[in-house]
Amino acid sequence: MALKNLIPAVYARRIGVLASAATLAALTSLVNAPVAQASPPTPISAAAARSYLATVTPKTEGSLSGYSRSLFPHWSTVSGTCNTRETVLKRDGVNVVTDSSCASVSGSWYSEYDGATWTAAADLDIDHVVPLAEAWRSGASSWTTSKRQQFANDLTRPQLIAVTDNVNQAKGDLDPGKWLPPRTAYRCTYARMWVEVKQYWGLSMDSGEKTALVNILNGC
């Protein structure tokens, strides 16, 4: 066969090999790509949060007089043997396996607040983004127990999230004027979550809380 007839065939084979290599690389990339972390419902946008804050008139926080966590019944049954805590653990984790009582026996959880990854459910708390005591001081003290139960188990808004237990305990019942997630990359999202929950449930904000939220969201 003449050399000039061999050249196109060689190039054709080379192109075929390169195409196969590219396909293999693409498939390998997909296999090795990090698994996307599950998360709470996506909060309102920073722009929407800023717009709402512009309408908020700060109000002095109420007292904790009469407050008890038992006035916010949780965790409610969601389905079968699964309650709200177990539902959030399964939602926010990766490859979560539960037993017959719906308890998480294995899986992996990434804590958005501090960037830590855990493989034991016992290392996680389910944080109420707007804490129960904070809700009480900003309007929930006048609610019915039924409404407080709905708030404490709200899976529709970005009010519940699985995070490192001691980070959640450090937060306590503090608002964004006094505490923010140590992982700064999550603060914009956290502020949007906080604003949406307060807006939906009609809870008031004090001046320090509002100022902190405005400052965060202006940088988002």
Side-chain angles (χ1 to χ4, degrees):
M1 184 182 292
L3 180 59
K4 64 180 181 181
N5 293 327
L6 280 172
I7 292 174
V10 169
Y11 276 118
R13 284 196 298 273
R14 182 173 295 175
I15 290 169
V17 170
L18 288 173
S20 298
T23 301
L24 179 60
L27 290 172
T28 302
S29 175
L30 287 172
V31 170
N32 294 331
V35 177
Q37 294 293 334
S39 60
T42 302
I44 58 175
S45 67
R50 286 193 294 268
S51 294
Y52 173 69
L53 286 172
T55 72
V56 172
T57 300
K59 183 178 178 181
T60 302
E61 247 179 20
S63 76
L64 270 182
S65 177
Y67 168 74
S68 169
R69 286 180 66 85
S70 64
L71 294 173
F72 292 79
H74 61 289
W75 305 106
S76 298
T77 299
V78 175
S79 64
T81 59
C82 300
N83 65 25
T84 311
R85 172 184 163 83
E86 292 149 354
T87 299
V88 174
L89 281 171
K90 190 167 184 179
R91 180 198 71 190
D92 290 2
V94 173
N95 298 325
V96 177
V97 176
T98 56
D99 61 19
S100 58
S101 64
C102 203
S104 298
V105 294
S106 65
S108 176
W109 292 267
Y110 178 79
S111 170
E112 294 283 8
Y113 285 3
D114 58 331
T117 297
W118 304 98
T119 56
D123 290 319
L124 298 144
D125 278 353
I126 306 304
D127 180 40
H128 288 95
V129 172
V130 175
L132 305 183
E134 166 66 20
W136 179 271
R137 290 189 296 257
S138 52
S141 59
S142 65
W143 293 352
T144 63
T145 300
S146 175
K147 185 172 180 179
R148 287 192 288 262
Q149 181 174 15
Q150 292 171 42
F151 174 82
N153 298 276
D154 188 358
L155 291 166
T156 305
R157 264 64 53 182
Q159 161 68 342
L160 300 169
I161 183 171
V163 295
T164 303
D165 53 4
N166 62 354
V167 173
N168 182 51
Q169 290 151 25
K171 170 185 172 179
D173 63 354
L174 302 177
D175 68 39
K178 304 178 182 74
W179 186 92
L180 289 168
R183 181 172 162 253
T184 56
Y186 199 66
R187 290 181 179 178
C188 278
T189 302
Y190 182 78
R192 290 160 50 208
M193 295 164 77
W194 184 283
V195 171
E196 178 175 345
V197 172
K198 282 240 166 166
Q199 178 183 21
Y200 178 83
W201 289 98
L203 296 169
S204 64
M205 297 185 186
D206 64 37
S207 57
E209 173 187 356
K210 178 181 176 180
T211 297
L213 290 165
V214 168
N215 289 340
I216 295 164
L217 291 164
N218 281 344
C220 296

